[in-house]
Structure formats: structure tokens, C-alpha cells
Amino acid sequence: MIAYEALPWQRSTFSGGGEGNTCVELAASPTTLHLRESDTPGTVLTTTPSALANLLEGIRAGSLAPASA
């Protein structure tokens, strides 16, 4: 199990840089990326660089279909 608190977390400058815990944070380990919101640091999303790149590419291209009800 990964000790998430020991990872070097970086805060997104796009998150506004304001006061409080309203930022997206990212940490990288050798084969994975870890994302969390600073207001809930115990909840961590873990993915691979290629999977995150594909998601971001789909968002930018507008090719993601909305979830069906």
C-alpha cells in the first residue's frame, strides 16, 4: 500500500491559488499519478499517465458523451 502522505504533492496553479483547501493536488510515483482535492486529502484517485492524457484529450476535443441516466 502506498503511503500517500509521504508523496510530494504539488498544488495546481489553475486552482486559483487562494486561501483554504480548494485546490487540486497531484503526486507522481514511478508508474502512476495520484490526484486529490486538498479539502479531502484522504480520497486519492490513482491513474496512469496515458489514461489521464486520454481523458484530458477527450475533454479538450469535446468527444466525451454525457452519462446516461
Side-chain angles (χ1 to χ4, degrees):
M1 179 157 199
I2 295 175
Y4 293 116
E5 64 278 354
L7 292 172
W9 291 95
Q10 296 179 334
R11 190 169 285 188
S12 171
T13 57
F14 190 72
S15 295
E19 297 298 319
N21 294 328
T22 59
C23 300
V24 173
E25 298 175 328
L26 176 111
S29 58
T31 58
T32 55
L33 296 174
H34 311 281
L35 298 114
R36 69 182 185 185
E37 290 193 39
S38 55
D39 62 343
T40 54
T43 303
V44 178
L45 172 71
T46 300
T47 188
T48 63
S50 62
L52 182 58
N54 289 336
L55 173 64
L56 295 174
E57 182 179 317
I59 291 169
R60 288 183 192 118
S63 61
L64 299 179
S68 58

